[in-house]
Amino acid sequence: MGPDGARDIARIAEHVRPMLPEDRRMVVDHALSRALTGRVRVLVLGEAKRGKSTLVNALFERDLLPTGALPVTSVATTVTVGSPLHAEVRYLDGALRPVGLHEVTGLVSERGNPSNIQRVDTVRITAPSPHLPVGTEVVDTPGTGSVHRANTAESARARASVDLAVLVVAADPPVSAAELALAADVMTTAAAAAVVVNKIDLVRSDDLAEIVEFTRAAVAEPLGEGGPVFPLSLRAAAPTELIAWLRERIDQHGAQDVTSSTARTLRREASTVLDGLLVEHELLTSAAQDRADVVATLRDILDHARAAQTTARDHVHGQARRARTRLDADHDREVAAALTAARDGLGSQLPSPPRRPEDAAQVVREQLGAMTARRCATWFQRAGAELDTELRAAAQRALADLAGDLAKARQAAARALHVHLGEVDELVPAEAARLPNVDIGQEDVWRELVTSTLAGRLPAAVRRKRLHRHLRDWVDSAVPRPFGRARSALQRWLDDTTRATERALANTWHEQLAALETGLHEASRHRSDTEEALAARRAGLGEHIAVLGQAIADLDRLIAEINGSPSPDPGRGRARPWDARSSVSSPSTAPSLGGSAGVHGDGWP
């Protein structure tokens, strides 16, 4: 479906748009503009420092965006295929300013614009690309999960409108729980997605197939079985297979993808607003005393929900702290045991002739290094498996408990208000991150403190004793080092998994109750209005609710037609050109209103 579907969506949007907050109108307007012109929007997203900006530069074969060793991007940057080459910045206050390419780094980088203190809304660059059709938009998003929290929020804002998604992960560390949650989130809007496994040059070639297969299996649920996975090193080669996939997808399905994602974008925005309006309408319809009772009930529900979220977060953090304490203690025990084993293996003297003392020392060093590496690798796998089991269980329990608590809170609110709140899409639960790789090779640091010329003149017995003494010193420093690297890798994994779970908990709360909180806030703003003003407000809300209900029903039919799935209402067929009069008066789509507050069971008011 191409222009006809886009025009149908535009007609629906004419009636939905006035009810959206200003920032959400901009999202819908831009999506509609792309749908009507067939311009595909490709969103490049992922955790911090995965190579997203480097990938965008590769698609345009020029250094348009800054890259670096630290989290760089702080503002979403859109690069549109076209010419001539130019750039402009739009600020949050709506002001536009043309800029030179040399100014882009100072606007979109964390160094030049930390936490977006310059209040940049977006930077737009137009540049030719030898790989993508003219008009294609490629969006580089700030990395989620970095220490810069504003970057994570900016990335979420950029994900509101997307046709095709490219999730960039790393071969090491491998795909994380946060990245899987990110994939699930973006697929509520995107029509299709691919995964780039970057930095394959940092892992051993014999590990690559396992890493790619793990990534493919991990993303199958949030992205769908058909989402391709491309392993590559952006530093070493062009992403030719990804480019071929993007080009083929845009050529064959671009118009349909834009229409489908735009319909889902508009439906999501309409559904979110509708829940808030239902809550506000019911509160303003109640008599004064009933209204006060319902408000108190809803606030109690929200307090319970916030407490549930805090409890879930505290549970996860508590488990993580206990796990880290045990990891540190286990590390210290393993290092002590490895040192004892290495000293025992060294013995009181080097092996006797016929070997030269230097050759004997080298053999002993290699043997001790190999033994330490084996012990460390065994400990790393065991400790990692224990952490994985413990944190996975803690995260799943916390998310399941919170989702259940919030669902009950939402149901209790609906009962108290006597309204039907829309169904909330369940977020795909994020799997725990695969344990990272860590280099536990033998220590190569071995340096004689006496020159080889002088060493060769010393008697063999003296050299043997001196080399044995140096080996003892070497053991004390060389044995703990691989264990320290292994512990650091596990600590980073533990921190990443904990942050990912915390974000999942926050997303769960927002999906379930944000609209309820908004409706309560809006109703509270009007509680002191005159009865005449309240009546006018209620009438306006009722009309808006009917319009949104009809819009959602028509969008559902349109989305089903685009995707080739059965229509939610087979008798109605194709979504008709939209008419506001029929929607406002349609009893079949306007949600029911009315009722009084009450207190219900299930642990919620």
Side-chain angles (χ1 to χ4, degrees), residues 57-137:
N57 288 341
L59 294 177
F60 288 83
E61 291 192 353
R62 65 175 68 215
D63 292 334
L64 297 170
L65 306 177
T67 59
L70 298 175
V72 170
T73 308
S74 64
V75 173
T77 308
T78 301
V79 187
T80 303
V81 179
S83 59
L85 182 66
H86 69 277
E88 68 176 10
V89 56
R90 183 174 67 188
Y91 295 93
L92 292 174
D93 63 3
L96 285 171
R97 180 172 70 89
V99 295
L101 286 178
H102 65 281
E103 298 179 75
V104 169
T105 297
L107 294 167
V108 306
S109 69
E110 187 60 40
R111 181 186 295 274
N113 186 17
S115 299
N116 196 16
I117 60 172
Q118 298 185 50
R119 295 185 56 76
V120 173
D121 178 53
T122 187
V123 171
R124 291 186 168 275
I125 301 173
T126 299
S129 168
H131 306 299
L132 301 175
V134 172
T136 302
E137 296 181 359

Side-chain angles (χ1 to χ4, degrees), residues 276-292 294-295 298 416-419 519 522-524 526-527 530-531 533-543 545 591-597:
L277 296 185
L278 285 169
V279 173
E280 182 184 355
H281 185 281
E282 178 56 28
L283 289 176
L284 295 183
T285 301
S286 307
Q289 184 55 50
D290 289 340
R291 187 184 316 152
V294 175
V295 167
L298 293 182
L417 292 161
H418 287 268
V419 298
E522 287 299 314
S524 298
H526 295 280
R527 66 178 180 269
T530 65
E531 187 55 41
L534 285 175
R537 177 72 179 172
R538 287 193 298 268
L541 288 172
E543 291 184 1
I545 289 167
S592 60
L593 303 172
S596 59

Side-chain angles (χ1 to χ4, degrees), residues 362-376:
Q362 181 64 20
V363 169
V364 170
R365 187 183 73 86
E366 290 176 355
Q367 291 173 343
L368 295 179
M371 180 182 70
T372 299
R374 287 194 300 271
R375 291 183 68 104
C376 184

